């Protein structure tokens, strides 16, 4: 039979879990700050925890042109590397209509406004949970 102290210890996150949470929070703060510094527009952060195994967060932002999208993405990639947060996987830099930057924990989409409107991926991820009993 377990003691109350043992039961309480089971509920506490392990040091590895806490450091993982800190790592993701730090990375998210860095991503949002970098996008803001680069003058990205309409920045949206979506918590994916418990919704998907793709990552913990998805961040969506817009650049004003192909050149701006590429510059925002390049600035973010450099910031992640400089902060020691690894080397993200990057797709779409050649066309710079839609650049995807995957850090493992955070997926960042940087769009030109027309492309973002066409795909409208945040609508898919911001829909209310179907398990929710409340009617909206």
């Amino acid at each position: 039979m377990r003691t109350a102290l043992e039961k309480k210890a089971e509920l506490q996150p392990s040091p590895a879990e806490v450091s993982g949470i800190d790592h993701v929070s730090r990375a998210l703060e860095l991503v949002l700050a970098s996008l803001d510094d680069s003058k990205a527009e309409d920045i949206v952060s979506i918590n994916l925890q418990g919704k998907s195994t793709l990552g913990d967060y998805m961040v969506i932002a817009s650049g004003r042109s192909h050149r701006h999208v590429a510059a925002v993405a390049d600035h973010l990639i450099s910031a992640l590397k400089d902060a020691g947060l690894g080397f993200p996987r990057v797709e779409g830099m050649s066309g710079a209509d839609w650049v995807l930057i995957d850090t493992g924990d955070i997926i960042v989409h940087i769009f030109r406004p027309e492309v973002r409107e066409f795909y409208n991926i945040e609508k898919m991820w911001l829909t209310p949970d179907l398990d929710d009993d409340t009617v909206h």
Side-chain angles (χ1 to χ4, degrees), residues 3 20 33 51 54 69 84 93 99 118 120 127 132:
T3 67
K51 294 180 183 177
L54 293 174
V69 168
M93 281 294 274
V99 176
F118 178 79
N120 200 9
T127 56
D132 192 1

Side-chain angles (χ1 to χ4, degrees), residues 2-13:
R2 296 182 320 226
T3 67
L5 186 58
E6 290 171 331
K7 289 178 186 177
K8 183 177 179 182
E10 288 176 3
L11 298 175
Q12 299 297 320

Side-chain angles (χ1 to χ4, degrees), residues 19-25 27-28 31 46-49 52-59 85 89 101-108:
S19 69
I21 292 167
D22 291 344
H23 171 78
V24 174
S25 296
L28 181 62
V31 166
I46 303 168
N47 186 340
L48 298 178
Q49 295 171 350
S52 175
T53 57
L54 293 174
D56 292 328
Y57 289 92
M58 181 180 296
V59 177
L85 295 172
R89 291 177 295 282
I101 301 169
D102 185 354
T103 71
D105 296 318
I106 302 168
I107 302 164
V108 182

Side-chain angles (χ1 to χ4, degrees), residues 60-130:
I60 304 166
S62 295
R64 295 179 299 279
S65 64
H66 295 283
R67 180 177 251 171
H68 188 221
V69 168
V72 169
D74 192 46
H75 184 255
L76 175 57
I77 293 163
S78 294
L80 289 165
K81 290 177 184 176
D82 292 347
L85 295 172
F87 297 90
R89 291 177 295 282
V90 181
E91 305 242 352
M93 281 294 274
S94 61
D97 278 330
W98 174 2
V99 176
L100 182 139
I101 301 169
D102 185 354
T103 71
D105 296 318
I106 302 168
I107 302 164
V108 182
H109 300 273
I110 307 167
F111 291 99
R112 279 189 318 103
E114 303 82 21
V115 178
R116 182 175 179 173
E117 185 178 335
F118 178 79
Y119 287 103
N120 200 9
I121 64 171
E122 61 255 55
K123 182 179 179 184
M124 176 175 43
W125 290 101
L126 288 174
T127 56
D129 292 334
L130 296 177

